[in-house]
């Protein structure tokens, strides 16, 4: 195939096209995870006595079942990421991190252009990749591991007599939960920084966004995956 290039002969020609960059499973995972995290946060606050309209026993039951559902979702999603190769999306390009941080620190306030554009192979900028990687490798495992240990307390309670075993587990679980809530709050705020206030939300609902495609990528999608190309 002849390599298309610009007049300078060094850069591939790129065109902006509407492309489905988030698959059905990614969107299902995103929204079902969001619902489960919300249920876990509300039931968790209820367990700690922040809400009085839910009984303690009911809050514990809801929290436990939502946690089990989220763990199962994470297991399937981890399998999906590795079998599809999508795990590479979360390897941050640290070289582009300073520019993205500067943009969100003050560039966004002065109307500066975003230093990163989505591509077919890289849907997240360096800061997003680093945040999602921390979410899936640190915060998530800390939550589900301590949650499982907490639920299994009757099996090891005899070993915890006279120790700080259960309080330590509860502290780590609660700390990870607050980190999760913080991540979600920041995530919701970041959805308002797109081209329009609803741009990112709409993209995660439909799966489609406008990105730059090389001539080779556009030819591949037109030939092998035409359903991913929008109008």
């Amino acid at each position: 195939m002849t390599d298309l290039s610009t007049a300078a002969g060094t850069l591939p020609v790129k065109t902006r096209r509407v492309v489905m960059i988030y698959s059905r499973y990614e969107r299902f995972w995103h929204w079902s995870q969001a619902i489960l995290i919300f249920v876990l946060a509300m039931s968790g606050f209820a367990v700690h006595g922040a809400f009085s309209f839910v009984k303690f026993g009911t809050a514990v039951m809801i929290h436990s079942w939502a946690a089990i559902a989220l763990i199962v979702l994470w297991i399937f999603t981890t399998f999906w990421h590795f079998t599809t190769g999508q795990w590479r999306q979360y390897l941050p390009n640290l070289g582009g991190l300073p520019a993205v941080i500067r943009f969100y620190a003050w560039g966004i306030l002065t109307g500066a252009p975003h230093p990163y554009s989505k591509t077919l192979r890289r849907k997240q900028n360096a800061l997003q990749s680093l945040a999602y990687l921390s979410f899936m490798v640190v915060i998530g495992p800390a939550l589900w591991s301590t949650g499982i240990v907490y639920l299994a307390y009757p099996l090891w309670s005899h070993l915890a007599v006279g120790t700080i075993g259960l309080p330590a587990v509860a502290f780590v679980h609660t700390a990870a939960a607050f980190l999760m809530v913080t991540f979600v709050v920041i995530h919701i705020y970041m959805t308002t920084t797109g081209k329009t206030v609803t741009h990112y939300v709409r993209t995660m609902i439909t799966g489609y966004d406008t990105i730059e495609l090389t001539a080779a990528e556009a030819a591949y999608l037109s030939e092998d995956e035409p359903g991913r190309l929008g109008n």
Side-chain angles (χ1 to χ4, degrees):
M1 180 182 292
T2 303
D3 181 32
L4 298 177
S5 60
T6 60
T10 57
L11 298 175
V13 173
K14 292 186 178 182
T15 57
R16 294 186 64 80
R17 296 289 301 275
V18 176
V19 182
M20 177 178 286
I21 60 173
Y22 296 111
S23 66
R24 289 181 180 178
Y25 184 80
E26 282 179 288
R27 286 174 279 151
F28 163 77
W29 163 52
H30 178 275
W31 292 112
S32 57
Q33 179 175 245
I35 292 171
L36 288 171
I37 288 175
F38 177 80
V39 172
L40 283 166
M42 293 299 100
S43 58
F45 281 123
V47 168
H48 283 272
F51 304 130
S52 59
F53 59 86
V54 180
K55 294 182 179 179
F56 177 80
T58 302
V60 170
M61 181 185 68
I62 294 173
H63 196 77
S64 299
W65 281 109
I68 292 171
L70 185 58
I71 290 173
V72 171
L73 178 64
W74 277 340
I75 291 173
F76 275 100
T77 301
T78 299
F79 176 77
W80 179 84
H81 274 106
F82 280 99
T83 55
T84 61
Q86 289 296 315
W87 62 273
R88 297 184 181 88
Q89 295 282 344
Y90 304 98
L91 297 179
N93 176 16
L94 297 181
L97 189 59
V100 175
I101 291 177
R102 285 195 300 270
F103 172 76
Y104 286 120
W106 62 79
I108 194 172
L109 302 176
T110 61
H114 201 296
Y116 182 81
S117 297
K118 291 180 182 178
T119 66
L120 194 61
R121 296 183 180 181
R122 297 287 299 187
K123 291 176 280 191
Q124 287 96 23
N125 61 53
L127 187 59
Q128 288 173 319
S129 296
L130 188 60
Y132 295 149
L133 185 65
S134 300
F135 173 84
M136 292 186 291
V137 175
V138 179
I139 300 175
L143 271 173
W144 63 254
S145 60
T146 53
I148 290 173
V149 172
Y150 204 101
L151 287 175
Y153 179 69
L155 301 178
W156 59 276
S157 58
H158 62 287
L159 300 175
V161 177
T163 71
I164 62 170
L166 189 60
V169 172
F171 174 80
V172 174
H173 188 74
T174 303
F178 274 103
L179 287 175
M180 177 75 79
V181 171
T182 301
F183 175 89
V184 171
V185 170
I186 295 174
H187 186 68
I188 293 174
Y189 162 71
M190 295 301 288
T191 63
T192 67
T193 63
K195 301 171 185 176
T196 64
V197 175
T198 61
H199 173 77
Y200 289 132
V201 174
R202 186 171 63 252
T203 296
M204 190 50 70
I205 292 174
T206 65
Y208 287 94
D209 200 358
T210 302
I211 63 173
E212 289 187 343
L213 295 177
T214 64
E217 290 172 337
Y220 165 77
L221 290 175
S222 297
E223 182 69 24
D224 294 336
E225 299 185 63
R228 292 183 61 185
L229 291 173
N231 298 325

